[in-house]
Amino acid sequence: MKEIKVKKKKKLYEGKAKIVYETENEELLIQEFKDDATAFDGKKKGKIKEKGAFNNQISGRLFTFLESYHVPTHFVSQFSANAMVIKRLEMIPVEVVMRNVATGSLVKRYGVKDGTELDHPIIEFYLKDDAKHDPMINEDHVIAFGHADADEIKLIKRYAQKINAVLQSFFFRRDMVLVDFKLEFGRGKSGKIKLGDEISPDTCRLWDVQSGEKLDKDRFRQDLGKVEEAYREVHRRVFS
Ligand code: UDP
C-alpha cells in the first residue's frame, strides 16, 4: 500500500458517523469514523463500541477491492485504526441505493414481502437533505436540479451496478448476502466521478447465508442485540 504521510489539520465537516479533516495537502483529507450510531432521521442515538475502527477498515478493504476492478474511489491509504486518507471530492448530494433483496423502506413503500429476492437489482436515488428527510428522486430530478449532468448520471449508474456485482460475489464468498446498500459519489480534481463516503455495515444490509441472521446496523435500528459482535464478525469475514 502507498505510504502517504499527512498531518491532521482543521476540522472541515462533522456528520453523524464521521468527521472530515483537512491536511497540509490541499487535495487530501482525513476521514475519521466515529463509534456514534443514529437511526430514524437521527431520533435514535447510541454508541457501538469499536464501530469507527471496524467501519474504517472494512471500507478501506472494499474500496481497495473495487479499485482492482477499475472503480475509482476516494480511498488513498489508512491513517489510523479509525481514520483513512481520502482524496478531496466535490460531493454530489444524492444517495444511490442498490437493492438485491426486498426489505426496509422498499417493503414499507410497495408492500413486497420482506426477504423476497429481486429478479433484477433496483437502483434508487435520494436527495441528501436531512430537513426534507432525504426524499426519493429520479434521474431527471438530479439533472434538473443541477446536481449532475446526464453523462455523470449514466456513469454513476454504471459504477453502482458494477459495484453491486463485484460486492455481491465478494460477500457471498464470505457467507453473506448483500441485501442492499447506499453509495455516494463526487468529482475529483479533474472532474472525474469517483466513489466517496463509506461502504460498511452502517450503509449495507448483510445477512448470513445459512442462518439469515442480520449482520449490520439493523441490529441497532431494531434493538436486536449483539450489535458490536455483528460489526466484528463482518470485519473478520471481510479480512478472511
Ligand atoms: N441507507 C444508508 N443511509 C441512509 C439511508 C439508507 O446507508 O440515509 C442504506 C441502508 O443501510 C440500507 C439501504 O441504504 O442498506 C436501503 O435503506 P432503506 O431505503 O431500506 O431505508 P431504511 O429501511 O433504513 O429506512
Side-chain angles (χ1 to χ4, degrees):
M1 193 190 289
K2 279 177 285 180
E3 253 305 292
I4 305 251
K5 281 267 166 265
V6 288
K7 285 193 194 74
K8 199 155 108 178
K9 300 276 188 190
K10 206 176 100 230
K11 191 194 280 188
L12 186 66
Y13 163 84
E14 177 157 7
K16 290 183 283 238
K18 296 188 290 294
I19 308 177
V20 177
Y21 297 91
E22 291 188 321
T23 69
E24 73 278 21
N25 183 331
E26 170 78 18
E27 288 163 32
L28 299 177
L29 304 172
I30 290 167
Q31 169 164 270
E32 193 176 277
F33 292 71
K34 304 198 276 190
D35 290 349
D36 298 348
T38 63
F40 311 120
D41 250 345
K43 287 195 278 287
K44 183 182 169 103
K45 288 193 178 74
K47 260 189 198 296
I48 301 168
K49 220 172 122 231
E50 287 188 86
K51 174 171 83 77
F54 290 138
N55 282 358
N56 174 50
Q57 291 160 28
I58 293 166
S59 289
R61 171 79 180 101
L62 297 177
F63 284 139
T64 306
F65 190 68
L66 288 170
E67 290 273 359
S68 76
Y69 283 86
H70 310 288
V71 175
T73 79
H74 68 163
F75 182 72
V76 176
S77 61
Q78 289 295 354
F79 179 75
S80 67
N82 69 337
M84 56 172 63
V85 182
I86 57 171
K87 290 175 193 135
R88 187 193 284 267
L89 301 184
E90 181 199 347
M91 292 306 290
I92 297 168
V94 171
E95 297 191 339
V96 180
V97 169
M98 289 290 315
R99 303 178 182 275
N100 299 307
V101 177
T103 196
S105 68
L106 193 81
V107 167
K108 280 194 215 109
R109 198 176 287 130
Y110 304 105
V112 196
K113 192 167 171 283
D114 203 330
T116 310
E117 240 182 84
L118 300 166
D119 292 338
H120 179 85
I122 297 175
I123 186 163
E124 294 172 348
F125 300 100
Y126 294 86
L127 186 64
K128 242 180 111 77
D129 186 339
D130 279 341
K132 295 255 180 288
H133 313 291
D134 296 350
M136 192 198 249
I137 54 175
N138 67 30
E139 273 179 73
D140 285 329
H141 293 94
V142 177
I143 299 167
F145 298 159
H147 297 311
D149 67 29
D151 287 339
E152 288 176 326
I153 279 288
K154 211 165 128 185
L155 194 55
I156 286 171
K157 282 175 73 175
R158 204 183 305 146
Y159 283 149
Q161 280 151 356
K162 183 165 177 183
I163 292 165
N164 186 40
V166 169
L167 292 188
Q168 260 192 308
S169 51
F170 177 93
F171 283 115
F172 195 70
R173 286 196 296 277
R174 290 161 178 83
D175 288 328
M176 290 175 275
V177 177
L178 178 59
V179 171
D180 57 27
F181 59 100
K182 186 260 301 179
L183 302 170
E184 293 182 31
F185 293 87
R187 298 178 194 91
K189 203 170 51 139
S190 55
K192 203 173 109 173
I193 295 289
K194 289 180 203 282
L195 178 65
D197 195 53
E198 66 177 294
I199 309 178
S200 73
D202 268 10
T203 63
C204 297
R205 284 194 174 101
L206 296 163
W207 294 354
D208 181 80
V209 167
Q210 273 84 35
S211 66
E213 192 187 2
K214 293 178 165 65
L215 296 170
D216 54 66
K217 197 173 144 184
D218 273 352
R219 301 204 72 83
F220 168 77
R221 293 188 187 99
Q222 301 168 11
D223 293 317
L224 297 176
K226 294 200 175 157
V227 183
E228 186 203 328
E229 288 82 348
Y231 283 75
R232 181 185 304 282
E233 178 61 14
V234 173
H235 181 271
R236 187 188 71 75
R237 293 192 197 183
V238 160
F239 283 93
S240 70

